Amino acid sequence: MVADLSQLVKAYDVRGVVPDQWDEALAELFGAAFVQVTDADAIVIGHDMRPSSPGLADAFARGATARGADVTLIGLCSTDQLYYASGALDLPGAMFTASHNPARYNGIKMCRAGAAPVGQDTGLTEIRALVEQWSEHGAPATTATAPGTVTERDSLTDYAAHLLGLVDLAGIRPLKVVVDAGNGMGGHTVPTVFAGLPLDLVPMYFELDGTFPNHEANPLDPKNIVDLQARVLAEGADLGLAFDGDADRCFVVDERGEGVSPSAITALVAARELARNGGKGTVIHNLITSWSVPEVVRENGGTPVRTRVGHSFIKAEMAEHGAIFGGEHSAHYYFRDFWNADTGMLAALHVLAALGGQEGPLSGLVDQYDRYAGSGEINSTVTDQAGRLAAIKAAYGERDDVTLDELDGLTATNADWWFNLRASNTEPLLRLNVEARDEKTMAAVRDEVLALVRA
């Protein structure tokens, strides 16, 4: 029977329930299709700590070697560690992870050599078509003269050295930092990256456990950082860091136990990267980051470029503009010197360097980068997404004091506020983000738009 991959292959990756939606047999076909579409003669593969990850990664390797490609297995790693290996070895790569999704899920994040993204418009559609085609009778015979080889390689130490070479942490004052790894891959990477730094590290949930016994490994959901916030206060720590399941995203908590907006972190890191590049360079930000981000970029001599939400769009814009840095509201941070790929760990090192390079608390440091009142992302279940969006466009399109654009969903901008409303790609949801010059205005706009959305 031909496999139906419509629920499995997403815009940027493969993700679904194991074994209900996919299994090692399909993973093997994905490995073969990946090699065919990328025309690779060698690839690198890594995986997270989920119970199903080693078996899926090995099956993918079997499919790849059967098509003649040599495989380098780097084993347990974070997603940005896989991107490091893809960049440093100049090989296409595959990472087996479902990020912050529950334990029964797994997925594949794929990239071309140099960590260039593989998404719907850059090869994933072709890979899906081949897997669907081959799922009935298997992959056809290969023209390869011999199967590829499999070698194992440890990349963790080199990954850490590369990151530490991009941020000057020499001379920072000692800091006490609580890190919540959420039983994810941060428990694997943090001890090596932080080794030798003047940090008093307080680890939380560093045991690798893909069943996530303590909390979901998604730090953007407020309930998942409650433990970290309490521990930062109990320890009298300077800051807290929370990583998601595959440790490519990092969320920051200040000394008061309060979450720091990813937009403020984007602005802080942008200022530091611009300073590192002589006050020149382009910085990419998606359209739901704070007004603070383009303001800080311009104040520091840079050029901000606004783009759609989603890592494949950010990476494409990074490459097109030769950007030095990019940030998203979702705590994904992208660096030119990391092959335009995202790494929460490098952003965390920038925060440590900025905090440790001055005497004040983190809350005071980030105040200058957190200038407006934001709603955060608010989801509404809506059966007719297009109809609701059209109604809201009509309502705000009649106003002289509002400009509209449809770069990604609908964005309405006023002198004192803006909002963006986007449809989810995978669920019957509309996602609303609102920002204003003060809390009262933000709340009024938020409530007005939500009333229309939920009418």
Side-chain angles (χ1 to χ4, degrees):
M1 187 176 76
V2 176
D4 177 13
L5 304 185
S6 59
Q7 300 303 306
L8 183 64
V9 179
K10 313 295 185 184
Y12 324 118
D13 60 13
V14 174
R15 199 172 298 193
V17 177
V18 179
D20 303 22
Q21 292 179 292
W22 72 302
D23 55 16
E24 291 181 15
L26 269 183
E28 189 168 337
L29 293 179
F30 272 107
F34 179 65
V35 166
Q36 180 148 322
V37 169
T38 59
D39 196 28
D41 54 16
I43 66 171
V44 58
I45 302 172
H47 65 80
D48 71 7
M49 67 292 140
R50 292 166 185 270
S52 61
S53 290
L56 291 170
D58 287 345
F60 190 94
R62 287 196 299 274
T65 55
R67 309 303 287 179
D70 295 332
V71 171
T72 298
L73 297 175
I74 62 170
L76 279 168
C77 65
S78 61
T79 290
D80 63 328
Q81 191 182 332
L82 182 279
Y83 291 150
Y84 165 77
S86 172
L89 301 174
D90 198 29
L91 294 177
M95 174 67 186
F96 282 80
T97 182
S99 186
H100 61 276
N101 286 114
R104 65 185 187 279
Y105 284 81
N106 216 320
I108 323 171
K109 294 181 178 180
M110 291 173 272
C111 60
R112 296 178 186 269
V118 170
Q120 263 181 357
D121 301 326
T122 50
L124 193 52
T125 301
E126 292 83 354
I127 290 169
R128 170 185 165 178
L130 284 177
V131 174
E132 287 179 334
Q133 178 186 327
W134 294 345
S135 63
E136 190 168 17
H137 301 296
T142 176
T143 56
T145 54
T149 61
V150 176
T151 57
E152 296 184 2
R153 181 182 185 126
D154 180 13
S155 64
L156 180 57
T157 303
D158 291 343
Y159 155 82
H162 180 77
L163 293 181
L164 292 166
L166 297 175
V167 181
D168 184 6
L169 288 151
I172 66 166
R173 63 186 170 93
L175 297 171
K176 189 171 193 178
V177 54
V178 183
V179 177
D180 182 346
N183 299 109
M185 293 312 303
H188 175 72
T189 56
V190 167
T192 298
V193 176
F194 285 12
L197 297 176
L199 303 174
D200 179 1
L201 174 62
V202 181
M204 294 180 65
Y205 312 140
F206 271 38
E207 306 77 22
L208 300 183
D209 189 338
T211 67
F212 305 112
N214 293 291
H215 60 71
E216 187 183 51
N218 178 15
L220 280 192
D221 187 332
K223 70 175 182 287
N224 296 321
I225 63 165
V226 170
D227 291 358
L228 174 63
Q229 291 171 305
R231 191 68 177 272
V232 166
L233 291 173
E235 296 281 347
D238 294 291
L239 76 162
L241 303 173
F243 290 90
D244 66 345
D246 59 336
D248 62 349
R249 288 188 297 155
C250 183
F251 192 84
V252 181
V253 169
D254 70 19
E255 81 288 349
R256 304 169 303 180
E258 295 186 12
V260 179
S261 157
S263 285
I265 299 299
T266 295
L268 181 152
V269 177
R272 288 179 52 82
E273 283 291 279
L274 284 164
R276 212 174 137 248
N277 285 274
K280 295 179 181 178
T282 298
V283 173
I284 310 296
H285 65 98
N286 72 26
L287 79 178
I288 53 177
T289 51
S290 170
W291 268 337
S292 300
V293 174
E295 287 177 3
V296 168
V297 169
R298 291 189 187 99
E299 289 163 9
N300 286 273
T303 303
V305 172
R306 177 175 176 265
T307 188
R308 295 173 63 184
V309 174
H311 79 263
S312 63
F313 301 118
I314 293 267
K315 287 178 180 175
E317 294 283 347
M318 291 279 292
E320 180 181 337
H321 292 277
I324 60 174
F325 175 64
E328 292 197 272
H329 73 296
S330 54
H332 280 287
Y333 305 105
Y334 307 78
F335 295 82
R336 180 193 62 197
D337 295 335
F338 198 76
W339 300 278
N340 293 332
D342 46 321
T343 165
M345 185 67 78
L346 185 49
L349 293 176
H350 271 287
V351 172
L352 292 170
L355 179 59
Q358 50 90 67
E359 292 302 318
L362 183 58
S363 58
L365 177 64
V366 299
D367 267 352
Q368 62 188 301
Y369 304 116
D370 197 5
R371 304 171 177 180
Y372 303 99
S375 66
E377 192 153 271
I378 303 167
N379 291 319
S380 302
T381 301
V382 175
T383 51
D384 181 13
Q385 294 164 306
R388 288 293 85 209
L389 275 166
I392 289 160
K393 180 181 177 182
Y396 285 90
E398 297 173 353
R399 293 179 50 166
D400 293 336
D401 62 339
V402 174
T403 58
L404 301 180
D405 77 69
E406 296 179 81
L407 173 64
D408 191 352
L410 176 70
T411 302
T413 305
N414 171 275
D416 296 317
W417 53 262
W418 62 265
F419 73 78
N420 173 268
L421 192 65
R422 298 159 32 249
S424 166
N425 289 322
T426 56
E427 301 170 271
L429 298 176
L430 285 177
R431 307 189 190 280
L432 175 67
N433 285 269
V434 183
E435 185 175 68
R437 297 191 184 277
D438 59 74
E439 194 74 28
K440 182 179 178 182
T441 303
M442 185 280 292
V445 174
R446 176 197 66 202
D447 294 348
E448 182 178 271
V449 179
L450 282 177
L452 291 168
V453 168
R454 297 170 178 175

